[in-house]
Amino acid sequence: MKKNTRLQNFGLVLAGAVSASLLWHAFGVAGAASNADTYKQLNLFGDVFDRVRADYVEEPDEQQMIEAAINGMLASLDPHSSYMNKKQFADMSVQTRGEFGGLGIEVTMENGVIKVVSPIDDTPASRAGLMANDLIIKIDGTDVQGMTLNDAVDKMRGKIGTDITLTVVRDKKEPFEQKLTRDKIRVQSVKYSIENNDIGYIRISSFTEQTQEGLEKAMEHFRTTLGDKVKGYIIDLRNDPGGLLDMAISVSDTFLDKGEIVSTRGRHADETQRFNATKGDLANGKPIVVLINGGSASASEIVSGALQDHKRATLIGTRSFGKGSVQTIIPLGGEGALRLTTARYYTPAGRSIQAKGIDADIVIEEELPPELKGKNVSTEGEAGLKGHLTNEGGGDEGGGSSAYVPEDKTKDLQLKAAIDFLNGVKVVSNVKPKEEKPKEGAAPDTTAN
């Protein structure tokens, strides 16, 4: 790998330990340059903490108070900055290896409740029918309101084989209870098959340490099975919430011969990092279609943006999630870790997709089954998260893209469109473009007959 950098869920993880004392020293140096009001506010915090510790009606848990204060501070920044205690940090480290215990669900926090980003394929969550955009308001009867995201995730995890009941709100209807049984989540991040006898189909459900190995195994299978008969490849990134940055770079590099894959830009100009492709294309120049939708986020968007900008792939589906910020994971000397938003990432053409997402080249929306018609199966994307970073380029923010994918491949319009495209069939969008309102004072667009 070119950099020992990682993207966890929707963010970047930079490996390396930073001691708590060093962090406090850095804070002190920065604080020395700030105005005296900052010190007054820090003294205020200390006064409140001492008063609560001394006079609260019951003896408080001091560690819990400090963690709550830290989380409150980070929550005021953006939806992706947070504090992880030792156990949560250990759990996160396990998850990036692609094997962990739990329900198999990617979530975020919105308006005090847990919002489903997407269930992971072949897990208790997906088998139970949980969907993107579902809101989890209770866990085993306990209100989620007031919990941090890490607390809620920790509560959903547990001993394999034990049951858990989630109270879910879908499409603003009445809450319903969903019972699930915890299982060992083995994320097989890459699955593959041959479609139409001559097309290699690769489904990447998340970017873990196993992803590149799985991708190379898939490409080898197509090479030995199809040989020169292969017409092209479909990379399915729908409802893929992201994962490790080095895997996103590696997957992109697999199909690129040269050029930039992604860059990250922080608060200061000298923090910019660029990641470039190396020579070699495992697809040997064969055409590629990438499938995306409203659940495709972060690492998925890095791959989609890189292949789109280099005109190496055609994107089919609906607009992606729009998670374009970078989180640095800073270990705190054995006291957990800090997940802090430190930069934005950019596609090779310099596009920031933060709160906008990546638009498909050919927009194809799935047809909803009768039981879902009239219901909201779209995600609001990053732009719908409270406190999200705005796109520094300005303009309209994205959101509202469908995240529905039929289980039955014969009913999958996006997959069918990809197969038709690779077979040379002209594929057009099945969504009517929005009519633009004429500018004030402009004459209507007319054609003489």
Side-chain angles (χ1 to χ4, degrees), residues 165-183:
T165 300
L166 304 179
T167 304
V168 180
V169 173
R170 178 175 296 165
D171 198 34
K172 299 181 180 179
K173 305 290 185 177
E174 287 297 312
F176 64 91
E177 291 189 347
Q178 181 67 59
K179 186 176 180 180
L180 302 92
T181 302
R182 295 180 178 93
D183 198 359

Side-chain angles (χ1 to χ4, degrees), residues 438-444:
K439 296 179 181 178
E440 287 188 28

Side-chain angles (χ1 to χ4, degrees), residues 273-291:
Q273 288 185 297
R274 300 185 185 278
F275 303 89
N276 298 310
T278 55
K279 191 168 181 59
D281 173 6
L282 281 187
N284 293 317
K286 294 285 186 178
I288 296 172
V289 171
V290 176
L291 298 179

Side-chain angles (χ1 to χ4, degrees), residues 55-78:
D55 297 336
Y56 185 63
V57 64
E58 296 178 352
E59 185 175 351
D61 185 323
E62 295 179 11
Q63 181 176 347
Q64 191 176 65
M65 286 169 57
I66 292 173
E67 286 188 14
I70 293 172
N71 274 310
M73 174 176 61
L74 295 171
S76 71
L77 301 175
D78 72 288

